[in-house]
C-alpha cells in the first residue's frame, strides 16, 4: 500500500517567517494529495489539496507543490501567524483509491 | 464542504464495556470512513462504510471489535466493543465529497478514555 513519509516532525518559526513541510509517497499511481490542519481538540481540517495534473496550487498564504518524478509534495506557508500553530498532516490515497494514508504529522509552532 | 457531527464528543468508559459513536452528515454521501488517532499520533483507517454493504476493515481491525452500521446515506455508527485501556483514542468519521478521489472531510472526533 501507499507509504507516506513526512518531515519535519516539529517546526518552530517566528511570526512572519515561512514554513515548509515535506512529504514523500511510494505509489507512483497516486494522483491526489491533500493537506490537513488539526488544532488541539478538533478534527483535521482540509486546507489545500493538489492533483497530479498540476505542479503547484496556491490559496492566499498557503501553497502546495508536487514533484511527481521525485514522488514528493510540500506545503508552504508564508507570512506565518500565531494562529497557524497546529499539527499539519499530508496524505495520499491508499490502495483502494478512496481512503487516505496519512503522514505522521508536523507540529508547527509560530512564535510572536 | 460537508458538515459532520459526532456523538458523544468525549466519554470515559470502564474496561469491558462498549461504546457506540454516531456520525451524522448534513448531505447524502456514498463513502464514509472511520479512523482512529491514538494520543499524539497520526490517523489510522479502521474501516470504510458504504450504505447497503458490509463495512470493509483494514488489517488489524475486525468486525467483532469494531462493528459498524451504515443504515442510510447520512448516518453511520462505530461501536468499540469490550474496551481495554489500549482503545483510548480519538475516533474520527470522515466523508468523501464525490465518488472517488474527492475531498475528504472530517468530523470533530470522539475522545474516548478507557479506565
Amino acid at each position: 500500500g501507499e507509504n507516506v513519509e513526512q518531515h519535519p516532525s516539529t517546526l518552530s518559526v517566528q511570526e512572519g517567517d515561512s514554513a515548509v513541510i515535506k512529504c514523500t509517497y511510494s505509489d507512483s499511481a497516486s494522483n491526489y494529495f491533500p493537506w490537513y490542519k488539526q488544532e488541539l481538540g478538533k478534527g483535521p481540517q482540509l486546507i489545500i489539496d493538489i492533483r497530479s495534473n498540476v505542479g503547484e496550487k496556491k490559496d492566499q498564504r498557503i501553497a502546495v507543490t508536487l514533484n511527481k518524478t521525485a514522488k514528493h509534495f510540500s506545503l508552504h506557508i508564508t507570512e506565518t501567524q500565531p494562529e497557524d500553530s497546529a499539527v499539519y498532516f499530508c496524505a495520499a490515497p491508499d490502495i483502494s483509491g478512496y481512503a487516505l494514508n496519512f503522514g505522521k504529522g508536523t507540529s508547527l509552532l509560530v512564535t510572536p | 464542504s460537508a458538515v459532520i457531527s459526532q456523538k458523544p464528543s468525549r466519554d470515559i468508559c470502564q474496561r469491558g464495556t462498549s461504546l457506540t459513536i454516531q456520525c451524522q452528515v448534513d448531505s447524502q454521501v456514498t463513502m464514509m470512513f472511520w479512523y482512529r488517532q491514538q494520543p499524539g499520533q497520526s490517523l489510522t483507517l479502521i474501516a470504510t462504510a458504504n450504505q447497503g454493504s458490509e463495512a470493509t476493515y483494514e488489517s488489524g481491525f475486525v468486525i467483532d471489535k469494531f462493528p459498524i452500521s451504515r443504515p442510510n446515506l447520512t448516518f453511520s455508527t462505530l461501536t468499540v466493543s469490550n474496551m481495554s485501556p489500549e482503545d483510548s483514542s480519538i475516533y474520527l468519521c470522515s466523508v468523501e465529497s464525490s465518488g472517488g478521489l474527492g475531498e475528504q472531510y472530517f468530523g470533530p472526533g470522539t475522545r474516548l478514555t478507557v479506565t
Side-chain angles (χ1 to χ4, degrees):
Chain A
E2 177 72 272
N3 185 38
V4 181
E5 301 282 342
Q6 182 172 347
H7 300 279
S9 57
T10 61
L11 180 59
S12 183
V13 300
Q14 285 203 319
E15 184 177 2
D17 287 350
S18 296
V20 181
I21 304 170
K22 298 181 179 181
C23 286
T24 61
Y25 60 97
S26 58
D27 186 355
S28 57
S30 292
N31 54 9
Y32 174 66
F33 307 94
W35 284 91
Y36 288 86
K37 175 184 181 181
Q38 187 174 29
E39 297 175 282
L40 195 62
K42 297 184 178 181
Q45 175 194 3
L46 178 66
I47 56 172
I48 196 167
D49 56 15
I50 192 168
R51 299 184 188 274
S52 59
N53 56 343
V54 297
E56 184 177 7
K57 183 177 178 181
K58 287 184 179 180
D59 183 3
Q60 298 181 0
R61 294 187 299 108
I62 60 173
V64 56
T65 58
L66 172 65
N67 183 327
K68 286 214 71 179
T69 302
K71 290 190 284 187
H72 67 71
F73 57 111
S74 300
L75 177 70
H76 304 254
I77 306 174
T78 58
E79 300 173 29
T80 53
Q81 302 167 2
E83 49 266 38
D84 294 329
S85 297
V87 179
Y88 291 81
F89 292 97
C90 62
D94 75 353
I95 193 171
S96 74
Y98 295 102
L100 296 171
N101 280 333
F102 286 81
K104 292 189 180 299
T106 296
S107 179
L108 173 65
L109 177 64
V110 181
T111 55
Chain B
S1 65
V3 177
I4 305 163
S5 60
Q6 287 185 233
K7 290 182 181 179
S9 59
R10 61 178 65 241
D11 207 342
I12 300 173
C13 302
Q14 289 194 335
R15 68 173 66 211
T17 62
S18 298
L19 176 71
T20 295
I21 302 167
Q22 300 179 4
C23 179
Q24 180 75 52
V25 190
D26 69 340
S27 58
Q28 294 185 339
V29 293
T30 302
M31 309 288 290
M32 292 183 77
F33 309 92
W34 287 97
Y35 289 83
R36 182 175 73 183
Q37 186 176 27
Q38 295 179 304
Q41 302 296 314
S42 187
L43 289 78
T44 300
L45 180 67
I46 298 172
T48 301
N50 292 335
Q51 193 267 339
S53 62
E54 294 286 331
T56 303
Y57 289 83
E58 297 300 300
S59 175
F61 299 96
V62 295
I63 187 171
D64 290 346
K65 175 67 175 178
F66 297 101
I68 288 171
S69 78
R70 182 77 200 276
N72 57 54
L73 292 174
T74 63
F75 187 79
S76 178
T77 67
L78 169 75
T79 298
V80 187
S81 304
N82 188 24
M83 289 184 283
S84 66
E86 293 72 34
D87 294 320
S88 297
S89 288
I90 300 171
Y91 292 86
L92 295 147
C93 72
S94 72
V95 304
E96 191 184 50
S97 65
S98 62
L101 291 184
E103 294 83 2
Q104 198 169 123
Y105 300 98
F106 283 82
T110 296
R111 284 146 189 82
L112 171 63
T113 301
V114 184
T115 59

PDB file of all heavy atoms in Angstrom, chain A residues 12-40:
ATOM      1  N   SER A  12       9.500  25.093  14.389  1.00  0.00           N
ATOM      2  CA  SER A  12       9.251  26.322  15.118  1.00  0.00           C
ATOM      3  C   SER A  12       9.764  27.489  14.285  1.00  0.00           C
ATOM      4  O   SER A  12      10.931  27.493  13.869  1.00  0.00           O
ATOM      5  CB  SER A  12       9.951  26.289  16.484  1.00  0.00           C
ATOM      6  OG  SER A  12       9.657  27.456  17.219  1.00  0.00           O
ATOM      7  N   VAL A  13       8.906  28.475  14.033  1.00  0.00           N
ATOM      8  CA  VAL A  13       9.284  29.639  13.244  1.00  0.00           C
ATOM      9  C   VAL A  13       8.794  30.884  13.953  1.00  0.00           C
ATOM     10  O   VAL A  13       7.878  30.839  14.787  1.00  0.00           O
ATOM     11  CB  VAL A  13       8.713  29.578  11.808  1.00  0.00           C
ATOM     12  CG1 VAL A  13       9.217  28.346  11.073  1.00  0.00           C
ATOM     13  CG2 VAL A  13       7.195  29.625  11.818  1.00  0.00           C
ATOM     14  N   GLN A  14       9.399  31.997  13.594  1.00  0.00           N
ATOM     15  CA  GLN A  14       8.953  33.267  14.134  1.00  0.00           C
ATOM     16  C   GLN A  14       7.850  33.829  13.246  1.00  0.00           C
ATOM     17  O   GLN A  14       7.832  33.617  12.021  1.00  0.00           O
ATOM     18  CB  GLN A  14      10.111  34.245  14.226  1.00  0.00           C
ATOM     19  CG  GLN A  14      11.068  33.941  15.376  1.00  0.00           C
ATOM     20  CD  GLN A  14      11.850  35.179  15.801  1.00  0.00           C
ATOM     21  OE1 GLN A  14      12.274  35.945  14.944  1.00  0.00           O
ATOM     22  NE2 GLN A  14      12.041  35.354  17.096  1.00  0.00           N
ATOM     23  N   GLU A  15       6.957  34.534  13.857  1.00  0.00           N
ATOM     24  CA  GLU A  15       5.863  35.169  13.124  1.00  0.00           C
ATOM     25  C   GLU A  15       6.402  35.969  11.949  1.00  0.00           C
ATOM     26  O   GLU A  15       7.369  36.721  12.085  1.00  0.00           O
ATOM     27  CB  GLU A  15       5.068  36.067  14.068  1.00  0.00           C
ATOM     28  CG  GLU A  15       3.852  36.721  13.453  1.00  0.00           C
ATOM     29  CD  GLU A  15       3.059  37.538  14.446  1.00  0.00           C
ATOM     30  OE1 GLU A  15       3.485  37.631  15.619  1.00  0.00           O
ATOM     31  OE2 GLU A  15       2.011  38.096  14.056  1.00  0.00           O
ATOM     32  N   GLY A  16       5.784  35.761  10.797  1.00  0.00           N
ATOM     33  CA  GLY A  16       6.214  36.463   9.600  1.00  0.00           C
ATOM     34  C   GLY A  16       7.149  35.658   8.717  1.00  0.00           C
ATOM     35  O   GLY A  16       7.266  35.950   7.519  1.00  0.00           O
ATOM     36  N   ASP A  17       7.797  34.658   9.308  1.00  0.00           N
ATOM     37  CA  ASP A  17       8.672  33.793   8.518  1.00  0.00           C
ATOM     38  C   ASP A  17       7.828  32.787   7.727  1.00  0.00           C
ATOM     39  O   ASP A  17       6.626  32.651   7.931  1.00  0.00           O
ATOM     40  CB  ASP A  17       9.653  33.053   9.423  1.00  0.00           C
ATOM     41  CG  ASP A  17      10.731  33.978   9.969  1.00  0.00           C
ATOM     42  OD1 ASP A  17      10.814  35.127   9.499  1.00  0.00           O
ATOM     43  OD2 ASP A  17      11.459  33.531  10.879  1.00  0.00           O
ATOM     44  N   SER A  18       8.501  32.053   6.831  1.00  0.00           N
ATOM     45  CA  SER A  18       7.849  30.997   6.058  1.00  0.00           C
ATOM     46  C   SER A  18       8.090  29.641   6.708  1.00  0.00           C
ATOM     47  O   SER A  18       9.083  29.445   7.418  1.00  0.00           O
ATOM     48  CB  SER A  18       8.379  30.978   4.618  1.00  0.00           C
ATOM     49  OG  SER A  18       8.039  32.173   3.955  1.00  0.00           O
ATOM     50  N   ALA A  19       7.175  28.731   6.461  1.00  0.00           N
ATOM     51  CA  ALA A  19       7.305  27.360   6.951  1.00  0.00           C
ATOM     52  C   ALA A  19       7.098  26.406   5.780  1.00  0.00           C
ATOM     53  O   ALA A  19       6.224  26.626   4.941  1.00  0.00           O
ATOM     54  CB  ALA A  19       6.277  27.077   8.048  1.00  0.00           C
ATOM     55  N   VAL A  20       7.920  25.367   5.738  1.00  0.00           N
ATOM     56  CA  VAL A  20       7.813  24.367   4.679  1.00  0.00           C
ATOM     57  C   VAL A  20       7.787  22.974   5.294  1.00  0.00           C
ATOM     58  O   VAL A  20       8.631  22.640   6.125  1.00  0.00           O
ATOM     59  CB  VAL A  20       8.998  24.456   3.680  1.00  0.00           C
ATOM     60  CG1 VAL A  20       8.831  23.400   2.585  1.00  0.00           C
ATOM     61  CG2 VAL A  20       9.082  25.847   3.084  1.00  0.00           C
ATOM     62  N   ILE A  21       6.820  22.182   4.883  1.00  0.00           N
ATOM     63  CA  ILE A  21       6.679  20.798   5.350  1.00  0.00           C
ATOM     64  C   ILE A  21       6.701  19.906   4.116  1.00  0.00           C
ATOM     65  O   ILE A  21       6.029  20.205   3.124  1.00  0.00           O
ATOM     66  CB  ILE A  21       5.372  20.599   6.126  1.00  0.00           C
ATOM     67  CG1 ILE A  21       5.290  21.580   7.303  1.00  0.00           C
ATOM     68  CG2 ILE A  21       5.258  19.163   6.623  1.00  0.00           C
ATOM     69  CD1 ILE A  21       3.928  21.621   7.983  1.00  0.00           C
ATOM     70  N   LYS A  22       7.469  18.831   4.204  1.00  0.00           N
ATOM     71  CA  LYS A  22       7.666  17.984   3.023  1.00  0.00           C
ATOM     72  C   LYS A  22       7.156  16.565   3.255  1.00  0.00           C
ATOM     73  O   LYS A  22       7.279  16.031   4.360  1.00  0.00           O
ATOM     74  CB  LYS A  22       9.147  17.944   2.661  1.00  0.00           C
ATOM     75  CG  LYS A  22       9.716  19.306   2.299  1.00  0.00           C
ATOM     76  CD  LYS A  22      11.190  19.215   1.911  1.00  0.00           C
ATOM     77  CE  LYS A  22      11.723  20.588   1.532  1.00  0.00           C
ATOM     78  NZ  LYS A  22      13.152  20.529   1.132  1.00  0.00           N
ATOM     79  N   CYS A  23       6.619  15.981   2.200  1.00  0.00           N
ATOM     80  CA  CYS A  23       6.139  14.597   2.255  1.00  0.00           C
ATOM     81  C   CYS A  23       6.592  13.845   1.019  1.00  0.00           C
ATOM     82  O   CYS A  23       6.683  14.424  -0.062  1.00  0.00           O
ATOM     83  CB  CYS A  23       4.624  14.545   2.363  1.00  0.00           C
ATOM     84  SG  CYS A  23       4.012  15.002   3.985  1.00  0.00           S
ATOM     85  N   THR A  24       6.873  12.572   1.203  1.00  0.00           N
ATOM     86  CA  THR A  24       7.155  11.694   0.078  1.00  0.00           C
ATOM     87  C   THR A  24       6.145  10.557   0.081  1.00  0.00           C
ATOM     88  O   THR A  24       5.602  10.202   1.140  1.00  0.00           O
ATOM     89  CB  THR A  24       8.579  11.122   0.145  1.00  0.00           C
ATOM     90  OG1 THR A  24       8.711  10.349   1.354  1.00  0.00           O
ATOM     91  CG2 THR A  24       9.615  12.225   0.144  1.00  0.00           C
ATOM     92  N   TYR A  25       5.898  10.004  -1.099  1.00  0.00           N
ATOM     93  CA  TYR A  25       4.972   8.888  -1.206  1.00  0.00           C
ATOM     94  C   TYR A  25       5.607   7.802  -2.044  1.00  0.00           C
ATOM     95  O   TYR A  25       6.570   8.041  -2.776  1.00  0.00           O
ATOM     96  CB  TYR A  25       3.628   9.344  -1.773  1.00  0.00           C
ATOM     97  CG  TYR A  25       3.697   9.952  -3.156  1.00  0.00           C
ATOM     98  CD1 TYR A  25       3.420   9.208  -4.297  1.00  0.00           C
ATOM     99  CD2 TYR A  25       4.016  11.303  -3.333  1.00  0.00           C
ATOM    100  CE1 TYR A  25       3.464   9.771  -5.556  1.00  0.00           C
ATOM    101  CE2 TYR A  25       4.073  11.877  -4.580  1.00  0.00           C
ATOM    102  CZ  TYR A  25       3.788  11.109  -5.697  1.00  0.00           C
ATOM    103  OH  TYR A  25       3.845  11.674  -6.945  1.00  0.00           O
ATOM    104  N   SER A  26       5.039   6.607  -1.974  1.00  0.00           N
ATOM    105  CA  SER A  26       5.695   5.473  -2.623  1.00  0.00           C
ATOM    106  C   SER A  26       4.995   5.004  -3.895  1.00  0.00           C
ATOM    107  O   SER A  26       5.646   4.456  -4.783  1.00  0.00           O
ATOM    108  CB  SER A  26       5.793   4.299  -1.640  1.00  0.00           C
ATOM    109  OG  SER A  26       4.510   3.927  -1.170  1.00  0.00           O
ATOM    110  N   ASP A  27       3.685   5.216  -3.994  1.00  0.00           N
ATOM    111  CA  ASP A  27       2.922   4.684  -5.126  1.00  0.00           C
ATOM    112  C   ASP A  27       2.892   5.706  -6.264  1.00  0.00           C
ATOM    113  O   ASP A  27       2.242   6.745  -6.144  1.00  0.00           O
ATOM    114  CB  ASP A  27       1.505   4.341  -4.672  1.00  0.00           C
ATOM    115  CG  ASP A  27       0.697   3.649  -5.768  1.00  0.00           C
ATOM    116  OD1 ASP A  27       1.199   3.522  -6.908  1.00  0.00           O
ATOM    117  OD2 ASP A  27      -0.434   3.239  -5.484  1.00  0.00           O
ATOM    118  N   SER A  28       3.573   5.408  -7.343  1.00  0.00           N
ATOM    119  CA  SER A  28       3.652   6.351  -8.463  1.00  0.00           C
ATOM    120  C   SER A  28       2.289   6.581  -9.122  1.00  0.00           C
ATOM    121  O   SER A  28       2.126   7.543  -9.871  1.00  0.00           O
ATOM    122  CB  SER A  28       4.659   5.854  -9.494  1.00  0.00           C
ATOM    123  OG  SER A  28       4.307   4.555  -9.943  1.00  0.00           O
ATOM    124  N   ALA A  29       1.313   5.708  -8.846  1.00  0.00           N
ATOM    125  CA  ALA A  29      -0.017   5.876  -9.426  1.00  0.00           C
ATOM    126  C   ALA A  29      -0.882   6.870  -8.640  1.00  0.00           C
ATOM    127  O   ALA A  29      -1.934   7.275  -9.108  1.00  0.00           O
ATOM    128  CB  ALA A  29      -0.727   4.526  -9.485  1.00  0.00           C
ATOM    129  N   SER A  30      -0.430   7.272  -7.456  1.00  0.00           N
ATOM    130  CA  SER A  30      -1.210   8.214  -6.647  1.00  0.00           C
ATOM    131  C   SER A  30      -1.358   9.533  -7.387  1.00  0.00           C
ATOM    132  O   SER A  30      -0.412  10.018  -8.007  1.00  0.00           O
ATOM    133  CB  SER A  30      -0.522   8.457  -5.296  1.00  0.00           C
ATOM    134  OG  SER A  30      -0.558   7.297  -4.499  1.00  0.00           O
ATOM    135  N   ASN A  31      -2.561  10.128  -7.315  1.00  0.00           N
ATOM    136  CA  ASN A  31      -2.778  11.361  -8.065  1.00  0.00           C
ATOM    137  C   ASN A  31      -3.587  12.405  -7.306  1.00  0.00           C
ATOM    138  O   ASN A  31      -4.151  13.324  -7.893  1.00  0.00           O
ATOM    139  CB  ASN A  31      -3.452  11.057  -9.402  1.00  0.00           C
ATOM    140  CG  ASN A  31      -4.729  10.264  -9.207  1.00  0.00           C
ATOM    141  OD1 ASN A  31      -5.185  10.083  -8.094  1.00  0.00           O
ATOM    142  ND2 ASN A  31      -5.305   9.806 -10.300  1.00  0.00           N
ATOM    143  N   TYR A  32      -3.654  12.257  -5.987  1.00  0.00           N
ATOM    144  CA  TYR A  32      -4.387  13.242  -5.189  1.00  0.00           C
ATOM    145  C   TYR A  32      -3.674  13.377  -3.852  1.00  0.00           C
ATOM    146  O   TYR A  32      -3.432  12.375  -3.169  1.00  0.00           O
ATOM    147  CB  TYR A  32      -5.830  12.800  -4.979  1.00  0.00           C
ATOM    148  CG  TYR A  32      -6.614  13.696  -4.055  1.00  0.00           C
ATOM    149  CD1 TYR A  32      -6.894  15.009  -4.409  1.00  0.00           C
ATOM    150  CD2 TYR A  32      -7.067  13.231  -2.832  1.00  0.00           C
ATOM    151  CE1 TYR A  32      -7.610  15.844  -3.556  1.00  0.00           C
ATOM    152  CE2 TYR A  32      -7.787  14.055  -1.979  1.00  0.00           C
ATOM    153  CZ  TYR A  32      -8.048  15.359  -2.350  1.00  0.00           C
ATOM    154  OH  TYR A  32      -8.755  16.179  -1.503  1.00  0.00           O
ATOM    155  N   PHE A  33      -3.366  14.636  -3.462  1.00  0.00           N
ATOM    156  CA  PHE A  33      -2.535  14.861  -2.283  1.00  0.00           C
ATOM    157  C   PHE A  33      -3.092  16.016  -1.456  1.00  0.00           C
ATOM    158  O   PHE A  33      -2.861  17.182  -1.752  1.00  0.00           O
ATOM    159  CB  PHE A  33      -1.089  15.158  -2.701  1.00  0.00           C
ATOM    160  CG  PHE A  33      -0.530  14.116  -3.624  1.00  0.00           C
ATOM    161  CD1 PHE A  33      -0.592  14.282  -5.005  1.00  0.00           C
ATOM    162  CD2 PHE A  33       0.019  12.956  -3.118  1.00  0.00           C
ATOM    163  CE1 PHE A  33      -0.100  13.312  -5.862  1.00  0.00           C
ATOM    164  CE2 PHE A  33       0.514  11.977  -3.972  1.00  0.00           C
ATOM    165  CZ  PHE A  33       0.454  12.159  -5.341  1.00  0.00           C
ATOM    166  N   PRO A  34      -3.828  15.704  -0.398  1.00  0.00           N
ATOM    167  CA  PRO A  34      -4.389  16.753   0.459  1.00  0.00           C
ATOM    168  C   PRO A  34      -3.499  17.059   1.656  1.00  0.00           C
ATOM    169  O   PRO A  34      -2.681  16.229   2.070  1.00  0.00           O
ATOM    170  CB  PRO A  34      -5.702  16.127   0.924  1.00  0.00           C
ATOM    171  CG  PRO A  34      -5.419  14.658   0.978  1.00  0.00           C
ATOM    172  CD  PRO A  34      -4.399  14.388  -0.103  1.00  0.00           C
ATOM    173  N   TRP A  35      -3.708  18.238   2.205  1.00  0.00           N
ATOM    174  CA  TRP A  35      -3.058  18.654   3.440  1.00  0.00           C
ATOM    175  C   TRP A  35      -4.150  19.031   4.453  1.00  0.00           C
ATOM    176  O   TRP A  35      -5.115  19.708   4.105  1.00  0.00           O
ATOM    177  CB  TRP A  35      -2.150  19.861   3.220  1.00  0.00           C
ATOM    178  CG  TRP A  35      -0.854  19.522   2.544  1.00  0.00           C
ATOM    179  CD1 TRP A  35      -0.608  19.523   1.205  1.00  0.00           C
ATOM    180  CD2 TRP A  35       0.365  19.143   3.181  1.00  0.00           C
ATOM    181  NE1 TRP A  35       0.695  19.155   0.965  1.00  0.00           N
ATOM    182  CE2 TRP A  35       1.318  18.920   2.165  1.00  0.00           C
ATOM    183  CE3 TRP A  35       0.762  18.973   4.511  1.00  0.00           C
ATOM    184  CZ2 TRP A  35       2.634  18.539   2.427  1.00  0.00           C
ATOM    185  CZ3 TRP A  35       2.068  18.601   4.774  1.00  0.00           C
ATOM    186  CH2 TRP A  35       2.993  18.381   3.742  1.00  0.00           C
ATOM    187  N   TYR A  36      -3.939  18.597   5.699  1.00  0.00           N
ATOM    188  CA  TYR A  36      -4.894  18.880   6.756  1.00  0.00           C
ATOM    189  C   TYR A  36      -4.213  19.621   7.900  1.00  0.00           C
ATOM    190  O   TYR A  36      -3.038  19.393   8.200  1.00  0.00           O
ATOM    191  CB  TYR A  36      -5.495  17.575   7.303  1.00  0.00           C
ATOM    192  CG  TYR A  36      -6.456  16.901   6.359  1.00  0.00           C
ATOM    193  CD1 TYR A  36      -5.993  16.031   5.372  1.00  0.00           C
ATOM    194  CD2 TYR A  36      -7.827  17.141   6.446  1.00  0.00           C
ATOM    195  CE1 TYR A  36      -6.867  15.421   4.498  1.00  0.00           C
ATOM    196  CE2 TYR A  36      -8.713  16.531   5.573  1.00  0.00           C
ATOM    197  CZ  TYR A  36      -8.227  15.670   4.604  1.00  0.00           C
ATOM    198  OH  TYR A  36      -9.097  15.069   3.733  1.00  0.00           O
ATOM    199  N   LYS A  37      -4.978  20.497   8.529  1.00  0.00           N
ATOM    200  CA  LYS A  37      -4.537  21.207   9.721  1.00  0.00           C
ATOM    201  C   LYS A  37      -5.396  20.737  10.884  1.00  0.00           C
ATOM    202  O   LYS A  37      -6.627  20.722  10.786  1.00  0.00           O
ATOM    203  CB  LYS A  37      -4.723  22.714   9.520  1.00  0.00           C
ATOM    204  CG  LYS A  37      -4.418  23.578  10.743  1.00  0.00           C
ATOM    205  CD  LYS A  37      -4.727  25.042  10.442  1.00  0.00           C
ATOM    206  CE  LYS A  37      -4.425  25.940  11.630  1.00  0.00           C
ATOM    207  NZ  LYS A  37      -4.763  27.376  11.349  1.00  0.00           N
ATOM    208  N   GLN A  38      -4.758  20.321  11.968  1.00  0.00           N
ATOM    209  CA  GLN A  38      -5.514  19.869  13.131  1.00  0.00           C
ATOM    210  C   GLN A  38      -5.128  20.707  14.342  1.00  0.00           C
ATOM    211  O   GLN A  38      -3.986  20.648  14.814  1.00  0.00           O
ATOM    212  CB  GLN A  38      -5.276  18.381  13.420  1.00  0.00           C
ATOM    213  CG  GLN A  38      -6.182  17.849  14.525  1.00  0.00           C
ATOM    214  CD  GLN A  38      -6.049  16.345  14.721  1.00  0.00           C
ATOM    215  OE1 GLN A  38      -5.003  15.762  14.473  1.00  0.00           O
ATOM    216  NE2 GLN A  38      -7.136  15.705  15.154  1.00  0.00           N
ATOM    217  N   GLU A  39      -6.074  21.467  14.821  1.00  0.00           N
ATOM    218  CA  GLU A  39      -5.885  22.234  16.033  1.00  0.00           C
ATOM    219  C   GLU A  39      -6.250  21.371  17.237  1.00  0.00           C
ATOM    220  O   GLU A  39      -7.006  20.396  17.113  1.00  0.00           O
ATOM    221  CB  GLU A  39      -6.726  23.502  15.983  1.00  0.00           C
ATOM    222  CG  GLU A  39      -6.305  24.428  14.846  1.00  0.00           C
ATOM    223  CD  GLU A  39      -7.191  25.646  14.699  1.00  0.00           C
ATOM    224  OE1 GLU A  39      -8.291  25.492  14.148  1.00  0.00           O
ATOM    225  OE2 GLU A  39      -6.800  26.731  15.148  1.00  0.00           O
ATOM    226  N   LEU A  40      -5.731  21.749  18.377  1.00  0.00           N
ATOM    227  CA  LEU A  40      -5.918  20.951  19.586  1.00  0.00           C
ATOM    228  C   LEU A  40      -7.404  20.758  19.887  1.00  0.00           C
ATOM    229  O   LEU A  40      -8.177  21.710  19.910  1.00  0.00           O
ATOM    230  CB  LEU A  40      -5.233  21.642  20.764  1.00  0.00           C
ATOM    231  CG  LEU A  40      -5.014  20.795  22.015  1.00  0.00           C
ATOM    232  CD1 LEU A  40      -4.111  19.611  21.697  1.00  0.00           C
ATOM    233  CD2 LEU A  40      -4.425  21.638  23.133  1.00  0.00           C
TER     234      LEU A  40
END
